[in-house]
Amino acid sequence: MIYLDHNATTPLHPRVLDAMLPYLRERFGNPSSPYRLGREAYAAVNRARRRIAEFLGAMPDEIVFTSGGTEADNLALRGVTRALFKSGNHLVTSTIEHHAVLKTFGDLEALGHRVTYLPVDPHGIVDAAALRDSLAPETILVSVMLANNETGVIQPVDEIVAIARERGVLVHTDAVQAAGKLSLRLHALGVDLASFSAHKICGPKGVGALYVRRGTPLAPLFTGGSHEDGTRAGTENVAGIVGFAEALAVACEAQDEQIARLGRLRDTLEGEIRARLDDVIVNGGQAPRVANTSNISFKGVEGESIVLQLDLAGIFVSTGSACTTGDPEPSHVLLGMGVDPLAAKGAIRFSLGPTTTNEDVAFTAPRVVDAVRRLRALSSLGERL
Amino acid sequence: MDEETSASRSEEDPAQSQEGIDSFDPMSGPMLFYNDRVIDHFTNPRNVGDLSEGAAIGFGLVGDPRCGDQTKLWIEVSSGRIARVRFRSFGCPGAIATSSMLTVLAEGRTIEEARAITDDDVIEALGGIPARKKHCSLLGVQALRAAIDDHEKRSSAAREDPA
Ligand code: FES
């Protein structure tokens, strides 16, 4: 089995599992309980919070644990709009956000907010300059992702921050696909809110975090106990939180070496495929990208057919975001970049990870070529395009 | 294929065609689980290709505007029957497999029989496809009907202008 869908999820790192197990077994206490068992769990959560804050260049009290990236996005967007509903109702985002952000904005629109969607250039980069024109006195929040999940293209969040800051507008970034792939110093970056997910960095599923810069107005989504300083009620996922911190530690320790290694493997994969097939486009290939992601359009074939043929060969890749597989419509990210709809239909995302080897790539490239050749031979769009 | 094995297996436990992943009901939910027969028609599609121009030929092209998938289909008619049928598809596995199965169902049929083939007939012949892939089976069925119409138009044109 060759797994090349690390932007969907990742295998748990053995060190992460080891760190988690005691909190699923003997140290099962509730962090809110007043006795030793509870205090142990409380201490574990806080230690994890300190470690995560340190890795991300933030303060421990700025980390709010959530059930994952989707909840972090929802908490940021809904929490700010609710907290600032008196100051304004205009929000800004981009056309290539993850559905956890886009659909939340869609819902906020239905609730009466006005949302501006910033366009993206053909390389997949959000037009930061367009932000300046979109800002209005009633603008309260801008949300632009740090790295795109489908193309890996790195977004100009620093420019977004600079523009928004001048006007006193808050900035959220979905950093789910950036963690472990870029060095992150949140204070230096200057965003007010940032979303993270553990299972994209070899941590467990069901846990994530929202970074909330001190002083950022935020209403809770969940009410109940006073967990997470009242920002997120609900008993903490102790083992998950401990695993998240360990996963981030593992990712940060090996980060530079992994970035270099995965970048080489990604370039090899793209090079081998392009050398053997015509009419291949690397979407976002001209832009700065995180090292592990490659989004390739094979003209004349439909992506899902490639996914199935590779699946039958024991190779797991996807057509885009795992959350939308099975949706017959082409990727909103690729269409947003102006990729031709037929080319967008034939797009495959390869996302490499820490366990990806040279052999994996050497095995995969010729099988991709075979799949595309076979499907092109039976395509109604013809072999020549 | 081993029809017997799958029959006896499904007698033992109708819910479980195979172990593990296949114990999910492929007809429901968001997962795109295709059964073995669909996989077979995807991997070894029958009657792929095209037929060259001629009076006995009918051609149909159908695209799905929502997903952008497309199937082209050619028929050759001889004494009121579909003597040969060929297809090409730019489509998802569902479109390729259902178009392939459709050609198998259509071959040798009279024009009337072929026109009566429905998407449900194709899906049934494949032993089912995932619910959200149902529309894929329409591509082949509609392309076949378009090819029949095209053939009829050509043959009436040929009758009017026998030169
Ligand atoms: S998804 Fe449209 S034909 Fe299959």
Side-chain angles (χ1 to χ4, degrees):
Chain A
M1 167 189 120
I2 293 175
Y3 183 75
L4 295 178
D5 201 14
H6 290 82
N7 288 10
T9 193
T10 54
L12 205 64
H13 193 283
R15 248 174 71 186
V16 173
L17 181 61
D18 289 345
M20 292 173 70
L21 280 174
Y23 297 93
L24 295 165
R25 290 186 171 136
E26 63 274 17
R27 295 190 210 160
F28 61 87
N30 184 326
S32 300
S33 297
Y35 37 78
R36 184 167 54 82
L37 194 65
R39 287 205 315 275
E40 265 174 15
Y42 183 78
V45 168
N46 275 343
R47 196 174 103 79
R49 197 188 308 279
R50 278 199 308 276
R51 295 179 80 194
I52 289 171
E54 196 176 314
F55 290 125
L56 298 179
M59 300 300 289
D61 61 344
E62 295 175 318
I63 302 297
V64 177
F65 290 115
T66 66
S67 63
T70 295
E71 187 195 325
D73 287 337
N74 271 267
L75 175 58
L77 308 181
R78 294 176 192 277
V80 166
T81 42
R82 259 192 72 197
L84 292 183
F85 78 100
K86 285 197 178 119
S87 321
N89 73 341
H90 179 231
L91 311 160
V92 183
T93 188
S94 83
T95 55
I96 57 160
E97 298 299 309
H98 188 274
H99 280 153
V101 167
L102 275 186
K103 299 219 167 167
T104 303
F105 276 118
D107 192 44
L108 290 168
E109 273 182 309
L111 293 169
H113 294 274
R114 185 164 73 83
V115 180
T116 300
Y117 296 88
L118 300 176
V120 171
D121 75 9
H123 303 301
I125 303 173
V126 172
D127 184 354
L131 171 62
R132 206 179 287 279
D133 305 328
S134 73
L135 292 176
E138 63 276 13
T139 310
I140 52 174
L141 177 72
V142 182
S143 176
V144 172
M145 68 200 331
L146 210 42
N148 183 267
N149 49 307
E150 293 189 27
T151 59
V153 172
I154 299 166
Q155 302 301 327
V157 172
D158 46 354
E159 286 174 54
I160 303 267
V161 168
I163 296 166
R165 271 270 172 90
E166 285 172 18
R167 305 282 292 264
V169 173
L170 296 176
V171 178
H172 165 254
T173 190
D174 180 330
V176 165
Q177 295 292 349
K181 300 168 192 165
L182 295 174
S183 47
L184 289 174
R185 308 312 296 164
L186 293 171
H187 282 175
L189 184 62
V191 294
D192 301 285
L193 305 120
S195 302
F196 296 93
S197 168
H199 78 100
K200 308 288 191 189
I201 53 166
C202 301
K205 294 172 184 63
V207 61
L210 181 65
Y211 159 78
V212 185
R213 197 162 67 88
R214 279 185 189 166
T216 304
L218 192 74
L221 288 184
F222 302 166
T223 46
S226 58
H227 313 89
E228 303 295 295
D229 255 342
T231 305
R232 204 277 188 176
T235 298
E236 298 85 344
N237 175 0
V238 179
I241 288 167
V242 168
F244 182 11
E246 190 66 20
L248 197 55
V250 174
C252 291
E253 279 165 24
Q255 186 167 282
D256 293 347
E257 171 213 325
Q258 284 292 354
I259 289 174
R261 192 181 72 87
L262 294 181
R264 280 195 302 273
L265 285 182
R266 194 255 317 263
D267 293 346
T268 303
L269 180 67
E270 289 179 352
E272 303 243 317
I273 289 172
R274 294 172 80 153
R276 286 172 179 75
L277 289 173
D278 293 331
D279 293 307
V280 166
I281 311 163
V282 177
N283 296 308
Q286 304 301 312
R289 288 183 289 170
V290 290
N292 81 312
T293 307
S294 179
N295 188 302
I296 307 184
S297 278
F298 301 94
K299 289 198 202 166
V301 293
E302 207 271 347
E304 201 203 319
S305 290
I306 303 175
V307 170
L308 180 61
Q309 187 165 337
L310 293 179
D311 183 357
L312 295 169
I315 301 165
F316 303 142
V317 300
S318 81
T319 51
S321 139
C323 312
T324 52
T325 302
D327 186 340
E329 283 177 55
S331 148
H332 71 280
V333 173
L334 299 182
L335 294 184
M337 296 165 59
V339 173
D340 167 68
L342 283 181
K345 289 275 300 172
I348 294 293
R349 178 184 71 186
F350 302 90
S351 49
L352 286 51
T355 52
T356 306
T357 62
N358 294 354
E359 290 71 33
D360 291 346
V361 169
F363 184 85
T364 300
R367 278 154 188 89
V368 172
V369 172
D370 287 350
V372 172
R373 285 197 178 138
R374 179 179 89 86
L375 292 165
R376 277 184 179 168
L378 67 91
S379 172
S380 56
L381 296 183
E383 277 174 273
R384 277 152 288 116
L385 295 154
Chain B
M1 268 227 358
D2 53 355
E3 299 277 3
E4 267 177 44
T5 343
S6 59
S8 58
R9 201 163 44 205
S10 55
E11 263 169 40
E12 280 162 33
D13 184 357
Q16 216 141 352
S17 65
Q18 270 175 45
E19 283 181 8
I21 196 168
D22 290 333
S23 65
F24 284 106
D25 178 359
M27 303 314 174
S28 66
M31 301 90 151
L32 298 172
F33 293 133
Y34 296 110
N35 68 35
D36 290 349
R37 222 175 298 168
V38 177
I39 298 281
D40 176 42
H41 275 265
F42 167 72
T43 316
N44 306 296
R46 323 294 197 265
N47 300 312
V48 172
D50 34 57
L51 297 176
S52 45
E53 282 299 308
I57 299 295
F59 169 68
L61 160 63
V62 169
D64 183 316
R66 200 168 102 86
C67 66
D69 288 3
Q70 182 196 81
T71 289
K72 286 180 179 169
L73 189 141
W74 292 259
I75 52 172
E76 184 185 308
V77 180
S78 149
S79 342
R81 283 185 185 272
I82 303 213
R84 287 199 296 164
V85 49
R86 294 285 182 273
F87 86 99
R88 289 190 178 281
S89 186
F90 163 71
C92 74
I96 292 170
T98 56
S99 299
S100 166
M101 178 53 94
L102 172 79
T103 63
V104 171
L105 293 182
E107 201 166 36
R109 298 292 186 90
T110 65
I111 292 291
E112 291 68 40
E113 287 167 346
R115 203 193 276 286
I117 299 172
T118 66
D119 52 336
D120 287 329
D121 296 336
V122 175
I123 292 170
E124 196 188 309
L126 282 170
I129 57 171
R132 57 191 310 170
K133 288 280 150 186
K134 199 168 181 296
H135 78 274
C136 312
S137 59
L138 277 171
L139 284 179
V141 169
Q142 288 173 350
L144 174 61
R145 290 179 190 165
I148 293 172
D149 289 344
D150 179 51
H151 171 260
E152 288 180 345
K153 219 180 294 158
R154 288 179 198 225
S155 35
S156 60
R159 269 195 304 276
E160 279 160 26
D161 181 15

